Amino acid sequence: MKQRPSSKWLLMLAALFLAGCGGESGGGGESDAASATIDNTAEVEADYAAEPDFYRFKTLDDLPADLVWENGADLPEIGSPEAKKGGTRYIALPDFPRTLRTAGPDSNGAFRPYILDNVVTLIAHLHPDEREFYPALAESWALDPETSTVYVKLDPAATWSDGVPVTTDDFFFMFWFYKSEYIRAPWYNNWYGTQYTNITRYDDRTFSITSASAKPDYASRVLELHPRPRHHFKELGEDYLERYQWRFTPTTGAYVLRDGDLKKGRSIVLTRNKDWWAKDKKHFRYRYNPDRVQFNIIRDTPKRFEAFKRGDIDQFGLALSEYWYEKLPDSDPDVQAGYIAKSVFYNEYPRPPYGLWMNTSQPLLDDLNVRLGVQHASNWQLVIDQYFRGDAARLKTANEGFAEFNDPSIEPREFDISKAQAYFAAAGFTERGPDGILVNAEGQKLAFTLSTGYENLADVMTILKQEAQKAGLELRIEILDSTTGWKKVQEKQHEIHLVAFGRFLEMYPRYWEHYHSDNAYDDAFLDDGSINPDRELKTQTNNLEAFADFEMDGLIDRYRASQDKDEMVELSHQILNLHHEHASFSPGWYQPSLRLGHWRWIRYPDYFNHRYISTIDDLWVHWIDTDLKKEVLEARKSGKTFPPKIQVYDQWKP
Amino acid sequence: MLNLNPQTLKKLRRFRQIKRGYYSFLILAGLMVLLAFGELLINSRALVVSYEGELYFPTYTAFHPGTDFGLDYDYEVNYRDLKEKFAADGSGNWLLMPLVPYNAFENHAPGGIFTPLAPNAAQQHYLGTDTTSRDILARLFYGTRIALIFSIGFMLSVYLIGIAIGCSMGYFGGVFDLLFQRLIEIWSNVPFLYMVIIIFSVIPAAFSVPTRIAILLAVMVLFSWTGMTYYMRTETYKEKARDYVAAARVIGASDSRIIFKHILPNVLSTLVTFMPFTIVGAVSAITALDFLGFGLPPPTPSLGELLKQGTANLRTAPWIVISAFGTLVALLTLVTFVGEAVRESFDPKTYSIYR
């Protein structure tokens, strides 16, 4: 009798405990609600039917007869024929990915390139040397500039990694997916909702897509699309975020995540799909060589570097001078013994424009003279000479790297204390206070918060602060972690912020995002062009300068509407000049090269990499020489050495 | 003359007999004096400038623009360059620099490149420079000063709140005690470090550095005063039951008079023994927070920030971590020695063994 109550207690405790566990695993995986079956087939089809102009269904007979089909098959191969398949590539991530989704909140992290951006196969890709299209999912395509329509015939071999063929349905669904509210991705909603006017189905493997405007690059807007697997997203609905949080989306690319290869918070392993449909295709066969890609989480940069020096990860970006010259100098024993190779690779790509983004909606910064003063008080040359040791170059405008769209006649403003002081004086700051900082007649100090989300650039901030002080300007440094920093500028809470936007390889720069008043204020101007007194600052946009100028709006609208390249170039120059005069962006520096340290067993083609790439891993042309790896590891123990490998590849140096 | 009661004198005498603690105390006191006049020892401003027959003492005054001394710029004079200029033109002008002619903020890169410089007596960087070429000795010195001021401020505030509330709890007892005990139990379960990190991360950088340090101090005090109340409460309970308290009450002394004039001096020994350890705790806490990047706002010199730099550059610049770690160890050891000696000398039993 005595035992009964206690065992009851135990049961209850056990029940409580289990309930606790259930709750926990429900948070990370699929909760009961999420495992309820959804089938959105009817909803999707109803939406297709509701927009008959957008989603059009025709037959092969309707296909225009006079189309000229091209397939880019003559373009040279990518990668090296020497490449060998096999081995494991080890990579360290700074943070565990917050989701496996590739759209929606938190999806745009450091891990996404490995499951989407750098491995995905598009309809066709821009060739990294020739800038012409080579085929991927498409067998061939035809362009119709009159209607800005692109016709596509899919490769019959194209399949998703789970064996399901890629069909026209997946492209129809791509539009439905990216236009859907369920994915909580307003940028995609807007882009797919406004940039395209129609997709037409001719048969299972033939379709056409029409762009909203006949911009000179309309072809790439269509050909660089990638489909979404219709069969995988059958359950897409209101609970998309939770339901697809940790589900690997079938891919048309080379790497898949197999069940059990994701250990939350610890590691991820991607495996090369041995039956990948494109593995023998001309432009893919020498790429995506490692059999496995193992990701470990190492949060600290110095620790990641130590892991690299131990050989736990295969390569390490040495963009910072500190790493290139001191932590891994040419005289390093591992470099001298030839175990670790150092490579500098110059190429052409629009580089991230590092500089100071001044929020013109803040008091004082709304004064042009103050902004001009700040420009002349920013000693970028000292940053470049002393911190980057001359390896970086001074940025001239925020939009360099877009060939003729850039205006080479614009010169950035130099560090000049007397000019800075003249401008500050014009803004009313004439006296220096007891600490050397300028004050105006009301006793207000000339001080701004200089914030950044790049912890590794703290030293740059210190230099700028010290130098600005000479001109009587105080910069209060605020170093935030990247998420907080980004949030701050998105909320437009910053005064002056140091940041750079990643650039894509596009034909021409985007101005609307950064400089149009639509992204600065709600109803910035009245109809006659005067400032709307009731306007309110608009947050969550990339117009970090709160740039609102009636003339600029007009230029950008014309630029966006223009279908003539020469006119766009002309407009682009005007926009850049106007932006320069406005002085709300102090152009800092850019890195003209990619620098890398990598263990000898990571092999690259003789020419190292291709002309238009943004990161070394963009194209996956490297391979792992497993025999060499064994040899190097043994040599390290026995003390045997190889000839050192320190190379500069400057064949694409602009 | 200070009139100390014989009990206290006895304790002080005993403190002097504990050599380790006593010398530590003397060293610390000396250090405090040095720190207080730090600007005269480690500073980029000259101690004395003699320019065209006039004497200037720029250390504690407003800044002198370069034009004051015949230079062509109107920002703060670089006195090191000025010294060389004076020596070169032999005009009879002269100036005297402090022992270490650098302040804690300026980047001084002799090679023109911002990189850690090994200790170098010729350049007068006696402990080398950090990753942005700031003098480590200057940063350590002012970092220590800020840490100590911060800790003393922390200790005083924590004690003030802790004593007031703890004594009241013990003295009044009953519902008041019960209520506050529950309150403290709840409050002390709020994770201190996370709260500090969260609150400090939302303080806008637009506030000046001293304001932000004051806010950090306030937040830390807010989450640290509870520990003191337990001791004060029990001590007060104990003392309250003594005859002298009853006597005072019979005479008609007010509650506050009884607490502060009668009870507090009798529980002082408990308090005093805790003090050094509170300081040790505060120095460690502020260093740890700095190390994590949530402490003193940059570019305030701090031990934690130097430690962080040091661990990130262990291989290439070991002198950073060595000096920061050495200073921290020395400082905490000294304070701990003093603390142990105080505890021993205030112990009513002459021969006690600590376990």
Side-chain angles (χ1 to χ4, degrees):
Chain A
M1 269 316 275
K2 249 191 174 176
Q3 267 183 351
R4 249 195 194 159
S6 69
S7 66
K8 236 183 203 170
W9 259 114
L10 273 178
L11 266 177
M12 270 173 68
L13 268 177
L16 268 173
F17 181 69
L18 283 175
C21 288
E24 236 163 61
S25 64
E30 291 167 36
S31 63
D32 285 349
S35 59
T37 39
I38 296 180
D39 187 350
N40 56 21
T41 312
E43 185 186 355
V44 172
E45 303 216 317
D47 284 351
Y48 290 169
E51 283 187 83
D53 282 342
F54 195 94
Y55 302 102
R56 236 178 262 166
F57 294 86
K58 292 187 179 173
T59 63
L60 272 183
D61 301 335
D62 300 322
L63 204 60
D66 55 347
L67 292 174
V68 185
W69 293 90
E70 17 180 328
N71 60 17
D74 302 337
L75 290 169
E77 288 182 308
I78 299 168
S80 164
E82 282 176 64
K84 285 188 259 178
K85 303 275 185 234
T88 304
R89 165 91 196 270
Y90 291 92
I91 297 176
L93 290 175
D95 223 336
F96 196 80
R98 297 195 195 171
T99 176
L100 283 178
R101 286 182 284 104
T102 54
D106 297 334
S107 64
N108 194 2
F111 182 63
R112 201 180 74 167
Y114 300 104
I115 52 171
L116 185 75
D117 311 57
N118 292 350
V119 296
V120 71
T121 46
L122 312 170
I123 299 174
H125 294 257
L126 266 184
H127 193 278
D129 289 334
E130 310 291 331
R131 288 191 84 161
E132 282 178 49
F133 284 100
Y134 66 88
L137 288 173
E139 185 183 58
S140 58
W141 59 89
L143 308 178
D144 179 2
E146 290 292 305
T147 56
S148 62
T149 302
V150 181
Y151 296 85
V152 179
K153 275 186 194 160
L154 288 175
D155 189 327
T159 44
W160 295 101
S161 52
D162 53 4
V164 178
V166 178
T167 65
T168 303
D169 288 347
D170 296 318
F171 285 90
F172 266 64
F173 183 70
M174 164 190 75
F175 279 108
W176 188 87
F177 179 86
Y178 282 123
K179 280 160 69 167
S180 158
E181 302 264 310
Y182 296 148
I183 63 167
R184 316 274 198 289
W187 187 88
Y188 285 105
N189 292 164
N190 173 51
W191 181 263
Y192 284 84
T194 58
Q195 297 296 317
Y196 304 94
T197 52
N198 160 261
I199 175 166
T200 306
R201 175 196 161 96
Y202 296 98
D203 76 354
D204 249 7
R205 299 191 181 279
T206 314
F207 62 92
S208 71
I209 293 176
T210 307
S211 288
S213 70
K215 299 291 281 184
D217 64 338
Y218 77 95
S220 72
R221 289 199 179 183
V222 173
L223 290 174
E224 293 187 334
L225 291 173
H226 61 98
R228 297 278 78 198
R230 174 69 193 102
H231 60 287
H232 177 71
F233 288 111
K234 276 243 169 359
E235 297 172 21
L236 181 74
E238 204 43 65
D239 61 354
Y240 163 75
L241 297 188
E242 299 87 58
R243 189 177 289 256
Y244 287 95
Q245 185 81 341
W246 296 109
R247 279 199 211 176
F248 177 71
T249 314
T251 169
T252 54
Y255 287 103
V256 294
L257 177 72
R258 294 192 302 200
D259 286 344
D261 280 351
L262 178 111
K263 299 200 174 62
K264 278 193 197 146
R266 294 217 300 274
S267 71
I268 307 172
V269 179
L270 295 177
T271 311
R272 190 167 62 86
N273 183 355
K274 296 240 162 68
D275 305 318
W276 186 34
W277 67 274
K279 67 178 193 299
D280 297 322
K281 270 177 93 88
K282 182 180 175 188
H283 299 102
F284 292 99
R285 58 181 160 180
Y286 304 131
R287 295 161 60 189
Y288 307 110
N289 300 309
D291 274 349
R292 285 155 46 88
V293 187
Q294 163 117 28
F295 298 88
N296 294 312
I297 312 302
I298 308 176
R299 285 171 210 280
D300 249 15
T301 314
K303 279 196 193 127
R304 269 201 301 284
F305 181 72
E306 291 304 319
F308 164 65
K309 282 278 282 184
R310 275 165 49 113
D312 291 349
I313 48 179
D314 297 317
Q315 57 184 37
F316 190 88
L318 300 171
L320 289 176
S321 304
E322 187 188 339
Y323 281 91
W324 182 262
Y325 292 107
E326 269 135 38
K327 301 208 164 157
L328 192 67
D330 292 354
S331 58
D332 188 276
D334 286 331
V335 175
Q336 279 305 314
Y339 306 144
I340 295 179
K342 287 175 75 178
S343 304
V344 188
F345 177 63
Y346 288 91
N347 75 328
E348 292 177 40
Y349 197 88
R351 302 286 179 202
Y354 287 91
L356 302 183
W357 305 68
M358 297 173 223
N359 185 349
T360 58
S361 69
Q362 298 278 6
L364 292 184
L365 287 173
D366 54 5
D367 185 338
L368 177 64
N369 282 319
V370 172
R371 295 199 298 269
L372 283 167
V374 173
Q375 297 252 356
H376 283 295
S378 310
N379 198 346
W380 292 113
Q381 204 50 50
L382 192 73
V383 170
I384 290 166
D385 291 345
Q386 299 207 331
Y387 183 70
F388 293 108
R389 303 176 202 191
D391 294 340
R394 178 79 201 266
L395 195 67
K396 293 182 174 175
T397 71
N399 292 281
E400 263 175 76
F402 290 96
E404 62 268 50
F405 285 88
N406 190 38
D407 183 354
S409 68
I410 298 177
E411 279 298 321
R413 296 178 179 89
E414 75 286 6
F415 176 70
D416 186 325
I417 294 169
S418 51
K419 278 189 191 171
Q421 283 185 318
Y423 283 120
F424 289 140
F429 289 90
T430 45
E431 292 292 314
R432 279 181 190 258
D435 51 357
I437 302 301
L438 289 167
V439 288
N440 64 9
E442 289 97 64
Q444 191 182 10
K445 256 176 129 178
L446 186 64
F448 298 106
T449 303
L450 172 62
S451 50
T452 188
Y454 302 124
E455 284 165 87
N456 56 347
L457 292 182
D459 296 347
V460 172
M461 312 269 284
T462 323
I463 298 169
L464 289 177
K465 180 192 163 81
Q466 287 297 315
E467 292 295 305
Q469 211 157 330
K470 289 184 181 166
L473 166 71
E474 181 177 347
L475 295 174
R476 294 173 179 151
I477 298 178
E478 184 176 49
I479 292 155
L480 306 160
D481 68 88
S482 50
T483 324
T484 323
W486 183 239
K487 202 157 196 109
K488 187 177 175 105
V489 289
Q490 288 287 293
E491 295 289 333
K492 310 277 170 79
Q493 299 277 324
H494 62 294
E495 291 192 304
I496 303 177
H497 195 81
L498 174 70
V499 72
F501 280 88
R503 292 282 189 237
F504 309 104
L505 187 59
E506 292 176 302
M507 186 190 231
Y508 47 85
R510 303 178 184 189
Y511 293 127
W512 180 78
E513 283 86 342
H514 295 304
Y515 311 130
H516 198 284
S517 70
D518 278 1
N519 289 318
Y521 297 96
D522 291 319
D523 294 325
F525 300 106
L526 301 174
D527 291 338
D528 60 354
S530 60
I531 288 171
N532 177 2
D534 301 326
R535 68 185 186 179
E536 276 189 23
L537 195 65
K538 197 165 182 173
T539 56
Q540 303 295 333
T541 71
N542 283 350
N543 190 337
L544 303 189
E545 297 153 42
F547 195 109
D549 183 281
F550 198 66
E551 189 190 346
M552 182 66 113
D553 283 2
L555 289 174
I556 292 176
D557 290 341
R558 277 170 59 206
Y559 176 82
R560 295 236 298 170
S562 175
Q563 301 177 2
D564 174 30
K565 192 174 165 189
D566 294 336
E567 189 195 358
M568 284 180 71
V569 168
E570 173 55 32
L571 284 167
S572 175
H573 287 194
Q574 288 181 30
I575 290 172
L576 289 176
N577 277 294
L578 195 61
H579 182 234
H580 177 73
E581 283 160 29
H582 198 251
S584 49
F585 174 76
S586 171
W589 76 92
Y590 69 94
Q591 300 277 7
S593 63
L594 297 167
R595 289 198 294 211
L596 183 73
H598 54 98
W599 283 87
R600 198 179 187 88
W601 58 74
I602 291 265
R603 303 273 309 273
Y604 280 89
D606 296 334
Y607 52 86
F608 197 67
N609 222 320
H610 291 265
R611 185 170 179 177
Y612 301 104
I613 56 163
S614 69
T615 68
I616 298 285
D617 280 345
D618 269 10
L619 297 167
W620 284 79
V621 292
H622 58 271
W623 69 95
I624 304 210
D625 193 329
T626 41
D627 299 335
L628 189 59
K629 181 164 182 174
K630 227 177 267 162
E631 209 181 314
V632 170
L633 290 177
E634 268 161 29
R636 246 186 130 199
K637 274 190 200 136
S638 65
K640 187 179 155 256
T641 59
F642 299 88
K645 213 173 156 187
I646 303 163
Q647 259 155 339
V648 180
Y649 302 89
D650 54 6
Q651 71 269 33
W652 304 122
K653 195 169 179 174
Chain B
M1 261 308 284
L2 197 61
N3 218 348
L4 293 171
N5 77 38
Q7 275 286 320
T8 318
L9 281 175
K10 198 174 148 202
K11 284 170 186 165
L12 289 181
R13 220 173 296 128
R14 214 164 139 201
F15 178 72
R16 278 188 69 169
Q17 280 164 2
I18 305 168
K19 294 292 176 216
R20 196 172 64 184
Y22 181 59
Y23 288 127
S24 298
F25 173 75
L26 288 185
I27 295 173
L28 259 183
L31 190 65
M32 297 273 200
V33 174
L34 280 187
L35 287 171
F37 298 101
E39 276 82 3
L40 296 172
L41 296 169
I42 300 181
N43 199 354
S44 60
R45 288 184 176 179
L47 297 173
V48 193
V49 183
S50 160
Y51 180 67
E52 298 186 346
E54 251 185 277
L55 285 182
Y56 296 85
F57 300 92
T59 308
Y60 291 107
T61 60
F63 86 111
H64 282 283
T67 44
D68 280 7
F69 301 118
L71 297 164
D72 56 357
Y73 53 80
D74 69 346
Y75 50 88
E76 167 112 53
V77 181
N78 184 330
Y79 291 96
R80 293 186 302 272
D81 291 353
L82 188 66
K83 187 175 182 179
E84 279 174 27
K85 184 173 169 278
F86 283 173
D89 48 289
S91 55
N93 297 327
W94 55 271
L95 63 82
L96 184 65
M97 289 302 285
L99 281 177
V100 179
Y102 302 102
N103 68 35
F105 301 103
E106 65 184 331
N107 317 107
H108 178 251
I113 289 168
F114 286 175
T115 167
L117 186 76
N120 180 335
Q123 292 283 353
Q124 293 185 287
H125 286 302
Y126 300 106
L127 291 179
T129 64
D130 70 359
T131 50
T132 25
S133 300
R134 295 176 294 199
D135 188 67
I136 291 179
L137 183 54
R139 286 188 74 74
L140 271 183
F141 188 82
Y142 289 107
T144 310
R145 182 160 92 172
I146 292 171
L148 280 178
I149 294 173
F150 186 88
S151 322
I152 291 170
F154 174 82
M155 182 195 76
L156 291 179
S157 331
V158 163
Y159 279 28
L160 201 74
I161 303 175
I163 291 169
I165 294 184
C167 285
S168 322
M169 279 163 68
Y171 183 76
F172 296 114
V175 181
F176 182 84
D177 183 26
L178 210 68
L179 203 77
F180 259 88
Q181 259 189 309
R182 298 296 89 74
L183 212 76
I184 286 167
E185 275 161 17
I186 295 167
W187 192 241
S188 57
N189 271 311
V190 178
F192 155 74
L193 199 62
Y194 294 114
M195 286 311 292
V196 174
I197 290 174
I198 290 167
I199 296 177
F200 200 65
S201 64
V202 297
I203 299 174
F207 294 160
S208 68
V209 169
T211 322
R212 291 167 74 191
I213 296 178
I215 295 174
L216 181 66
L217 179 67
V219 173
M220 280 180 67
V221 169
L222 206 62
F223 288 96
S224 312
W225 58 268
T226 50
M228 205 59 226
T229 55
Y230 295 118
Y231 304 108
M232 295 321 293
R233 177 177 164 272
T234 42
E235 285 292 320
T236 315
Y237 255 122
K238 207 169 84 188
E239 296 297 323
K240 193 176 88 172
R242 297 261 171 110
D243 292 342
Y244 70 87
V245 175
R249 197 176 292 161
V250 167
I251 297 169
S254 70
D255 286 341
S256 58
R257 189 183 166 84
I258 294 174
I259 291 177
F260 290 105
K261 287 268 176 182
H262 296 270
I263 296 182
L264 196 57
N266 285 292
V267 300
L268 207 64
S269 59
T270 326
L271 263 178
V272 170
T273 50
F274 275 117
M275 277 182 185
F277 301 105
T278 314
I279 293 204
V280 169
V283 172
S284 324
I286 191 69
T287 309
L289 280 172
D290 278 339
F291 185 80
L292 296 173
F294 294 101
L296 304 169
T300 316
S302 89
L303 297 169
E305 192 253 358
L306 267 177
L307 272 180
K308 190 181 184 177
Q309 273 192 29
T311 49
N313 296 284
L314 264 182
R315 229 187 257 275
T316 45
W319 54 88
I320 303 179
V321 79
I322 291 172
S323 18
F325 185 70
T327 311
L328 195 65
V329 169
L331 185 67
L332 296 186
T333 313
L334 286 177
V335 181
T336 310
F337 282 167
V338 174
E340 280 184 350
V342 169
R343 188 161 69 181
E344 204 173 323
S345 55
F346 276 66
D347 192 334
K349 298 189 206 96
T350 317
Y351 301 102
S352 60
I353 298 157
Y354 291 110
R355 281 177 288 260

